[in-house]
Every structure is written in C-alpha cells, then in structure tokens.
Amino acid sequence: MHKEFLIKQKGIITLAKHLGLISFLLIILFPIMAIISISLNPTGGIGSSVIPDNISLNNWRYILGIPYEDPISGEIIESSFPILRWLLNSIKISFITAFLMLLLSTTSAYALSRFRFRARETSLLVLMVIQMFPNIMAMIAFYFMLDFLGQIIPGIGTDTHGGLILVYLGGTPFNIWLIKGYFDTIPKSIEDSAILDGCTRFQVFMKIILPLSTPILTVVGLLTFINTFSDFILPSVLLKSQDNLTFAVGIQIFISDAFSSRWGQFAAACLLGAIPISAIFYSVHKYIVSGLSLGGVKG
Amino acid sequence: MKGNSALTFFNLFVFILGFFSTYVLWNIGHPFLSIALAFFTIFTISVFSLNRFYTLRFLYPGLTTFLFLMVLPIFFTFVISLSNLSTGHFFDKDQVKDILLEESYLPDNPTFIKFKIYQTTNKKTLLVTNDDHYTELKDKKEYSLAPLVSRDIIQESRQLTPLEVISYFEKNQNIQFDHPDHFDELFLFYRSSKLANLRSRYLPLENDKIQNTQTGEIYTPDFEVGRYVSEIGHELMPGFYRWVGFSNYISLITNKDLRRSFINVFIWTMTWGFFSVFLSFSLGITLAIIVNDKNLKLKAVYRNLLILPYSIPFFISVLIFKGMLNKDFGLINEMLAFFSIPAVPWLEHGTWAKVACLMVNLWLGFPYMFLVTTGVLQSIPESLYDAAKLENAGPLTRFNKITLPLIMSAIGPLLIGSFAFNINNFVGIYLLTGGGPPMEGASTQVGKTDILISYTYRLAFEGGQGQDFGLASSIAVIIFMIVATITMFNFRWFKTENANA
C-alpha cells in the first residue's frame, strides 16, 4: 500500500515536471517562433498578428537582394541595404580573425604548458588577469591607433576590415588560456621519446602536439568565430561606410530608424544571421560544459 | 638542416621588411616611431636567431599581439584620460597655430591683378596676368604663378572670351593661386577675370603668440582653457588639446552634475551585474536539477531546446526584444492587452526599462548557467545521495549540504567571471534601450539604464552634445580597475579552492 503510493507519487511528479518544462519552453521559445512566423508574413508590420493569414517569401527576397512585386501597390521592390553583403563581411572578418588567432596563440600556449622558465608563474598570473579584460574597454584608444596607422598603411586604418581584424587579434590571451588548458592534459611521455630520438621542440610541437589537438583547435576557432561575429561595439566604432559594415552594425542601423515598417524583413534577416551561428554553437556546446568550466579555469 | 634554412630566410625577411619600414617612417616624419621599430626589428631577429631565446621564440606571437593590442591600448586609454581631447580640442597647439595662420580675408581695398587666358596652338591653356606672370592650367587645385620671360609663347594663341573663362572656372572650382610678388595667396574673381591679393588674418609673433592684422589684438595660447586667448578675453576656435592631469577623474567627484550621473550609472552597473548573475544562476540551477532526473524521459530534447536562446547571437535576440517590447505595437504589450492589462512603457520609463533589461538578459543568460550546472551535477556521484538518504536527509537538506556546495566550488569562479562579463555587457543595454530614458537635467548624454561601458561609448562616439574622449577614457580606466579587482579576487578564490582540494 505504502509502496504503491510512492510509485504513484513519483509518476505525478514526473508528469508535473514534463508539464512544467513544456510550458516553460513555450514561453522561452515564443519569441523565436514569433520571428519565424513574422518573417513569412507578407504584411509583416510590427503590429501584425503572430499567425499569418497567408505565407510569402517576400521578406526573404528583400534581404537577399532579389527584386519582387509588392502585392498591394504592384511596385517592383528591391532592397537598398546590402544585407547579404554585411553578412558576408561578418563571415569574412570572423573567419580570418579565427584563423589568425589560432596561428598566433598555439605556440605560446605550448610554451606556457611545457617549458619551465623564470617568469612562467608571473606570465600565467598576468595571462589569467588579462584574459578577463574585454577589448571593448580600450575602444577609444583603438580608434585613435587605427586612425594614426591608417595614415601610414591605408589597409589597416579606420573603416577597413584589416584594421578591425588587427584589433581583434588583441584577444589572444583568452585563446592561449583555453588551448594551454588542453595541452596540459596531453601526457608528456609522448614527447619525451621523440626528443630522445633527436627531434627539436618545434618539431615535436608541429608533428605530435598539433595533430593531437585538432579537436580543441577547431573548437577554439569556432568559438572565436562566434564571438567575432557577435561583436557589436568595435565595428560600430571603427567602421563607417555602409558597404563595409558588419552584420551586427548593419542590421542595427537597418531596424533602428524604422522599427514598425521593416519588422518583417528584419525578422528574416535575424534568422539568416542566427541559423548558421546557432548551428556552430550546437556543434561545440558540449565543450563549454567540460572545457570552459573545468579545464579553462584550472591552471 | 631544413628548419634552419627556413629560419634564416625568415630572419632575412624580417630584416628587410623591418629596416625598409624604419627608413620609410623616418622619411615621413616619425623619428621616434622609426627608432622604436628599429629596436623591435633587432629584438625580433635576435629572438629567432639566438638559441638562448628558444622559449621566447614560442611566446613571441602571443607576446607581441598582447603587448601591442592589449597593453598599449590600455596605456593609451590612460594617457587620453589625462587630456581634454574632445570636440573643439582635436589638434595639438602647433597644428592649431598653423590652422589659424592659414586663415585669410579679403581686405577693403585689395590690389587687383587682371589676367587673360590663352589657348595655344599645341593645346595648352595658359593664364597670363597683366604684370607678366603666367601658369599653365591643367585640372589642379593649386597653381604657382611664374614670371613670363617672353610673350612669344602666346603668339598665335587664341584668347578665351570672358564667357569661356567663366564656364571654365565654373567647371573647376576652388582654385588657389600663389604669386611670387605677394606673400599671401590670391583670390579669384573669375567673372571679371582678375585676381585679388588676400591678407592673412593673423601674423606670427615670438613665443607662439599671434596677432590679428585687422584689430591688432595679440592672442596667447592659454593652457587653462586650451585655446588662443587675447588680452581682452576673446577666444579663437579651434582649440587645442592639453594635459589636464587627473582633472577628468576629479570632476567625476567634485562636479555636482557629473557626480550625480556617475554615481547613478555606477550603482546601476553593479545592480545590473549582480541581478543578471543571480537571476540566471537561480533559474539555470533550478532547471538543471529538474532535468537531471534519471527517470525523466526526453532529457536530451529538453536540454537542447533549453539552450536555444543562448545559441543565437546576443545582438540579434536583443534587437528582436526591442521590437517586441515596443510600447504601442510590440507583441508583449499586445499579449498583455489580451488579459486586459494596460500597455507597459517598457523602454520609456526608467524602472520598467531596467526591468526589461534584466528580463531580456535573463532570457539570454540562463542557458549558460543551465549548461555549466548540468555539467557539475552529472559529475556528482550517486553514492553521495544514497548515503544521505540512509541518514534520512530530506531533499532540501541534500540540496543544501551536497548539491549547492559542490556546484559553488566548481563554478564559483565562473559566477564571478559572469559578473565581470555582465557589468560590461554593452549589447544587453545599448541595443535594447540605447541607455535611455534620459536622466533628467544631466549635462552629458546619459540615461537611466546606462552602464559604465555604454556611458563611455556615448560620451566618446555619440555626437549629440559633442564628443568627450578625455572624460570617456577616464571612465574606461575606472572600469579597468573594477575588472582587475574582480579578477584578483577570483584568482584568490581559485588558489584557496586548489589549496583545499
């Protein structure tokens, strides 16, 4: 009797959990569902209903730069905003940044993980403190530095992608910290035999450590890609001309002066930007649990 | 060895590139930078050629980016915070002096020089003045007149009609002429085919002073106000920047209006950081415990759906919420209206705007806490709970004595890291409210939901009331100090935790 009651109670608790989680998810995911619906709504003003009466791809045509006929006025409409170009700018900048960051941080991570040198402890402490500073705090200095550099080398001045990428490279300490955490977990014995066979440290690093670390390097690269793609403040300070903007800055300008009239097109643009990033995130999120929380913090 | 020849090639490349750039920098007038680059090139080559620097060779890429793109910008931010660099004070004193000395005006009775324009037989266009000076016109902006040795070159040339002269200069505007006999530049009256000599408004005197040629007033560079000022108090624009010491910092404390804005922003920054972490942690841990039930089916589905908000770039979610929170058309007020609740001024009213910011940030942030606490929960051995059950410990006791302490020791540093992140969460504030609604009666651009970093951004880059880079940088330096303090605290925590383990 008592046992039966317990089982019944457990069943009720589980059912309550399911109901609770489902209703919570409905609330949480409501904005996302609403945006998908609005992007397909041909009359997608900001006040239009959540469930569209009929479905059209006009908003998508607009943001992809494909001309279409307006259903009410019959005009041919073509976007004057290079939304697709902003997206490609962002992808280009994020990809180059991620690649260069890996190139610049792996050797340092290896040295900090393996070599014993005089300033090692201090270096680790400095690295730990510095990787906490987001570079946006120095935005004013970056602005003047690029302004000055651009007078000498036009390719890395303000309003250039080269300059923006250069500024992002200041984020190497965070990556060094992550990669070093992984290198620490690779047993040293693998290298010792190679060194006995006459390999230099650099050969060991190139031929043994790097191939062993491709998973972590991919993850760190993808994380850098996501973070660069999502940055708003630095491109908004450093870039000016419309064709040069990144997706984040462009889309903010696109929507901020016309919230009510461009809501449907904006919804489509949001999905266009969010879907690839979301996909990348799902491929690396397991690492955020195991790597960032434990390996990342332990030195 | 193969590696060595690659290294030699690399050093050679650095050598050529380094000293070529040094040479170029020297020639375009940056001697200090040029010398610094020379030293840096020598440093680079020695690191990559001397074996005693073998370790440094590995650290070099990280170290240089760190020094040039992290340490140097932080240092520059501090340097700018010691200046009054702002709208109207963008140049140094010598540049301002040059700008002022280039100003000129047309005197009441100027000397006129008539000219004629000829088209020569070999298709050249010549401007010849009646005091025998000439220049060839060829789509430039500045011409220097030279003495005409003989009038032979305009023999057989066609003289342009007055109408042709006018149409030529209407197509080529803003042209300047220098004349060897006249110190100042010449002003072009192209409708009457004549040049008039302009006069400089200011003449240079000794000790950087300048004198107005019309009024005779003498202006002295005044380093108190950063402008040229005359004896009777006239100030000249533009001003120059100057070093003001710590007065940007001091004015944040002593200037009544700035102090009020700064304290409000500071308190809200801390409140916002604390509640962002507290709320998302509470929600995250609750969900993690609910889902982390070995009897619960569809666990993986719930987990993947719960982290969906976190997978979308923040700027996109925040902009979507900005639309949804719109007072008149937004979906959220529309749904409230369905339950007969009057429209809430989410982004227009100070307190509601703060609530809206926190709500949106909770939506963005709880999945992260859910993810990391799930990770810790999965690593707690079941036997711990079984032992507790044998001791008759209830669910609440088990949570308080086992789950929470274990989670806190694992993710305590992450909570502090999350706090440090959130007090600088520019996107979460600026893209939602733009810092607004405005703080009443403030002299700078500041709103009720502004946090320190968005206040910095608005002071420096939102032009509404002029840009103030000096003041903005001093606030950035204060943020640096706050983050550094938090990090040191975090480091302490991490050390004692490790010592206990």
Side-chain angles (χ1 to χ4, degrees), chain B residues 320-361:
Chain B
I320 290 174
F321 271 105
K322 186 176 181 176
M324 297 204 165
L325 289 167
N326 187 297
K327 183 168 156 258
D328 302 316
F329 317 105
L331 265 177
I332 292 180
N333 274 354
E334 216 171 85
M335 290 177 68
L336 291 180
F338 183 75
F339 298 104
S340 309
I341 300 171
V344 177
W346 291 110
L347 306 174
E348 289 79 13
H349 183 274
T351 314
W352 282 117
K354 287 177 181 178
V355 171
C357 286
L358 281 171
M359 263 173 39
V360 172
N361 210 35

Side-chain angles (χ1 to χ4, degrees), chain B residues 361-382:
Chain B
N361 210 35
L362 175 63
W363 190 88
L364 300 171
F366 85 87
Y368 173 71
M369 296 296 179
F370 171 76
L371 267 178
V372 292
T373 42
T374 299
V376 182
L377 282 180
Q378 285 172 336
S379 70
I380 300 177
E382 196 65 26

Side-chain angles (χ1 to χ4, degrees), chain A residues 37-75:
Chain A
S37 143
I38 289 161
S39 82
L40 297 170
N41 190 337
T43 55
I46 198 167
S48 59
S49 63
V50 181
I51 300 140
D53 304 329
N54 53 349
I55 283 176
S56 101
L57 290 175
N58 282 352
N59 289 328
W60 287 90
R61 289 200 186 95
Y62 182 89
I63 58 159
L64 294 173
I66 305 167
Y68 64 93
E69 200 185 302
D70 189 272
I72 302 159
S73 62
E75 294 173 79

Side-chain angles (χ1 to χ4, degrees), chain B residues 271-307:
Chain B
T271 320
W272 148 261
F274 174 78
F275 278 107
S276 290
V277 176
F278 177 76
L279 293 174
S280 57
F281 177 65
S282 312
L283 184 58
I285 195 172
T286 312
L287 289 166
I289 289 171
I290 292 174
V291 176
N292 196 47
D293 175 345
K294 58 181 187 298
N295 297 318
L296 192 77
K297 282 173 187 148
L298 299 171
K299 231 188 289 191
V301 177
Y302 284 130
R303 277 195 184 131
N304 280 321
L305 285 177
L306 280 170
I307 58 172

